[in-house]
Amino acid sequence: MSQKPFYITTPIYYVNDVPHIGHAYTTLACDMAARFARLEGRPVLFVTGTDEHGLKNAKTAQEKGRTPQEHVDLLSENFRHLCTISHISNDDFIRTTQPRHIKAAQAMWKALSDSGHIYLGKYEGWYSTRDEAYYAESEIADGKAISSGSPVEWVEEPSYFFKLSAFGDKLLSFYKANPDFIQPKSRYNEVIKFVESGLRDLSISRTTFNWGVPVPGDEAHIMYVWLDALTNYLTCVGYPDENATAYKTFWPEALHVVGKDILRFHAVYWPAFLMAAGLPLPQGIYAHGWWTKDGQKISKSLGNAIDPLQLYEIYGLDQVRYFLMREVTFGQDGDFSHTAMVSRMNGDLANDYGNLVHRVLSFLDKQLGGVLPALEPLTADDIALLNQAQIMLPHVVALMKQMGLSKVLEEIWSLVGAANRYIDAQKPWGLKVTDPARMGTILAVLVDVIRRIALLTQPIMPDASAQILDMLNVEEHDRLFAAYNTHLSSGTQLRKPICVFKKWEDPDAS
Ligand code: MSP
């Protein structure tokens, strides 16, 4: 049976910000899910990119003496670089200034307009350029948007409107019929409450600047940056060509992963646009929480933005990838601190996983020249551990369906813990003289469990897992989950073990 395709997207990032840990977090979460789905053998399309229009960019470009295009070309590279350095496995990198996207955004506009959902009016109200969002009087206090703290300005200009008010009931019945559409549940409830409170028509064009996608048929207007940006999810599958292979394969299989701050755009506006355009809706929207630093909101003005590249240099890439996905329940807010990072790095990785691998493979290398013994005869204890390893795969597959990323890692580490306890109970080191055959079986059991753990950790720590699988001489095609329940043949020559997870060393300690 052919496997269900999986289309996963990050939000496209505003180029004017320097990439920080918050951006890396969303992208890493998607990377973990995309890699996992590929290991399941599913066709995957994983896309990230940059959101490049809007007044902010036009203004900064002018200040810097660049054209807006030159400016965004330069800044977009920061995000591309972040992907490369973070070993992100994205299949595409979309930029909203690309011709393919401008074509898709204009086609979207035409679809909304042809179906009678757009009318010309005048916008009078509050707008925040920082958030690229319109706010109602009730959402403002002291000249700032209450939700984000961003300054707002009064705007009066001719504007096209999207008849969002006509979609309240349709959206509510859609949410009710698809209770998993918005996750986690608390966010689902929040969106329902917002829609129930009534939707106003949405201003979807601007006339006071021109750095954006021209409105088809009325070039005095450019498209509202969110209508432009949200359409990127369709651009990447070849829209407006609904016969494109990518479109046919991946739309509407999409899961949009977003931060909680931009949930409304994805869970309300986007489905309404799609309904109005007569297009199918994505599978779901997952809203994750926000990272703080030592308990404080991360922001440019506080100057406490954490540079992910610097973190990789200090702690190691896979260590940071693991920490970010493990430390906080996916969906909740989390706090970054050096202490928490080091505790995961030394505890979960160096002591638990690293030591398990190292002590087993070094002992096997020393005692048996790295030649894998037979996985028999098995005792009840051996079978119990092997069974635990075997059921771990269907278990984590089920958790991944809910984007339970931190939970998946917690579960894999319960197997790491079980393997370590098994060593302590079986004491293979003591058997080399008294019962070398039993010692061999114990080591074979452990190697099999380590192999499965390394298969499972590939999505989160691709490099470290590959090093472990290399040491075990696992063939490339046996690194897919389809090979999870196979075994390495006895007699396999393992490679010389190396230390995969280093401990944190304080650079100031002498
Ligand atoms: N350009 C829009 C998205 C358009 S998608 C059609 C945008 N860009 S953004 O660069 O401001 O934010 C992108 C993502 O980064 C959001 O999901 C946001 O939640 C996430 N984060 C930014 N700071 C964050 C933290 N401190 N912590 C976690 N994620 C945060 O919004």
Side-chain angles (χ1 to χ4, degrees):
M1 198 183 74
S2 70
Q3 297 254 39
K4 196 171 156 59
F6 184 55
Y7 177 24
I8 185 158
T9 67
T10 75
I12 46 172
Y13 301 101
Y14 288 134
V15 284
N16 60 308
D17 225 351
V18 178
H20 61 65
I21 193 179
H23 307 121
Y25 183 59
T26 317
T27 310
L28 274 174
C30 293
D31 190 50
M32 179 172 167
R35 286 177 183 272
F36 194 94
R38 287 192 201 101
L39 290 170
E40 288 181 276
R42 297 171 67 180
V44 171
L45 178 64
F46 166 27
V47 179
T48 185
T50 43
D51 187 353
E52 306 184 356
H53 291 126
L55 183 57
K56 261 177 300 198
N57 291 324
K59 272 186 181 160
T60 325
Q62 198 176 22
E63 282 160 24
K64 305 243 175 200
R66 303 178 187 137
T67 66
Q69 188 64 56
E70 284 167 354
H71 182 63
V72 298
D73 283 350
L74 247 145
L75 297 188
S76 176
E77 274 312 307
N78 294 335
F79 286 90
R80 211 187 273 273
H81 183 61
L82 176 66
C83 283
T84 312
I85 298 284
S86 310
H87 292 185
I88 299 301
S89 63
N90 56 304
D91 301 293
D92 195 354
F93 190 94
I94 171 93
R95 299 181 53 195
T96 53
T97 50
Q98 289 166 339
R100 61 170 174 161
H101 176 70
I102 294 175
K103 183 171 153 200
Q106 291 185 326
M108 182 60 159
W109 181 284
K110 276 202 89 263
L112 299 179
S113 165
D114 291 349
S115 57
H117 292 96
I118 294 182
Y119 63 92
L120 185 60
K122 184 177 175 199
Y123 181 74
E124 285 180 327
W126 298 106
Y127 190 78
S128 157
T129 305
R130 193 194 286 169
D131 302 343
E132 300 287 10
Y134 298 95
Y135 288 107
E137 199 66 54
S138 57
E139 295 174 304
I140 306 291
D142 301 328
K144 287 185 178 150
I146 299 168
S147 55
S148 63
S150 302
V152 290
E153 52 181 341
W154 185 258
V155 175
E156 281 189 27
E157 57 177 324
S159 170
Y160 284 97
F161 283 83
F162 170 69
K163 289 185 188 165
L164 183 62
S165 60
F167 287 89
D169 290 343
K170 286 183 198 127
L171 285 169
L172 288 171
S173 30
F174 178 80
Y175 302 145
K176 299 222 163 102
N178 297 278
D180 292 334
F181 181 65
I182 302 161
Q183 296 203 65
K185 200 77 201 161
S186 55
R187 302 286 168 209
Y188 173 83
N189 296 332
E190 197 180 292
V191 169
I192 295 213
K193 231 161 115 196
F194 172 73
V195 176
E196 277 174 348
S197 73
L199 296 175
R200 289 175 306 137
D201 288 349
L202 183 70
S203 162
I204 50 165
S205 75
R206 306 292 310 267
T207 52
T208 45
F209 62 97
N210 63 5
W211 183 237
V213 179
V215 165
D218 188 352
E219 307 234 330
H221 290 252
I222 53 156
M223 283 168 61
Y224 172 41
V225 72
W226 270 100
L227 172 55
D228 158 0
L230 286 162
T231 308
N232 94 83
Y233 301 132
L234 283 175
T235 308
C236 295
V237 287
Y239 181 82
D241 179 4
E242 292 177 34
N243 287 317
T245 312
Y247 187 93
K248 290 208 292 208
T249 313
F250 292 109
W251 196 262
E253 299 300 337
L255 173 68
H256 302 309
V257 178
V258 300
K260 62 181 183 181
D261 53 317
I262 55 172
L263 178 61
R264 191 184 293 184
F265 299 96
H266 284 82
V268 181
Y269 299 174
W270 181 228
F273 293 151
L274 290 167
M275 283 176 177
L279 294 168
L281 270 53
Q283 294 299 300
I285 317 286
Y286 198 104
H288 66 69
W290 267 50
W291 280 89
T292 50
K293 168 84 199 321
D294 298 318
Q296 277 199 311
K297 189 178 167 172
I298 296 172
S299 83
K300 247 190 195 170
S301 46
L302 286 173
N304 63 351
I306 308 167
D307 176 0
L309 308 189
Q310 222 174 348
L311 288 188
Y312 304 157
E313 249 169 56
I314 300 174
Y315 305 109
L317 172 62
D318 276 349
Q319 281 80 353
V320 175
R321 287 177 58 113
Y322 174 79
F323 172 81
L324 290 177
M325 288 305 129
R326 173 65 198 269
E327 184 65 6
V328 191
T329 305
F330 198 58
Q332 316 244 298
D333 292 341
D335 188 56
F336 186 91
S337 73
H338 172 73
T339 317
M341 173 76 226
V342 170
S343 146
R344 291 282 177 203
M345 177 173 170
N346 288 357
D348 299 10
L349 297 182
N351 285 347
D352 299 343
Y353 191 12
N355 250 341
L356 167 68
V357 174
H358 202 68
R359 55 183 176 153
V360 170
L361 298 191
S362 306
F363 185 65
L364 210 154
D365 184 59
K366 224 158 138 199
Q367 299 306 325
L368 304 172
V371 177
L372 188 66
L375 194 57
E376 57 184 15
L378 296 173
T379 67
D381 287 343
D382 304 345
I383 292 169
L385 182 66
L386 290 169
N387 280 350
Q388 193 179 342
Q390 186 165 342
I391 57 167
M392 192 51 72
L393 178 63
H395 189 48
V396 297
V397 166
L399 287 170
M400 275 312 281
K401 282 212 176 94
Q402 314 294 322
M403 283 297 273
L405 305 180
S406 46
K407 195 88 186 107
V408 162
L409 298 176
E410 219 176 280
E411 291 299 315
I412 300 172
W413 258 255
S414 71
L415 183 58
V416 171
N420 277 321
R421 283 193 300 279
Y422 170 89
I423 300 185
D424 296 342
Q426 302 296 325
K427 300 186 176 44
W429 342 117
L431 298 172
K432 59 184 176 201
V433 178
T434 51
D435 194 348
R438 177 64 194 145
M439 177 193 82
T441 311
I442 296 168
L443 293 175
V445 167
L446 284 163
V447 165
D448 196 50
V449 173
I450 290 170
R451 179 186 61 87
R452 296 194 210 211
I453 295 170
L455 291 181
L456 294 173
T457 55
Q458 291 177 98
I460 187 65
M461 296 187 290
D463 298 340
S465 310
Q467 281 182 326
I468 297 169
L469 293 168
D470 285 349
M471 288 191 265
L472 300 184
N473 250 329
V474 175
E475 302 275 353
E476 217 40 65
H477 57 84
D478 285 337
R479 296 184 185 197
L480 294 175
F481 290 157
Y484 190 76
N485 288 330
T486 60
H487 302 289
L488 287 170
S489 324
S490 64
T492 300
Q493 176 66 55
L494 309 186
R495 298 201 200 151
K496 280 268 170 225
I498 52 164
C499 170
V500 179
F501 298 107
K502 295 195 176 56
K503 275 208 169 176
W504 165 259
E505 274 168 38
D506 192 341
D508 296 331
S510 50

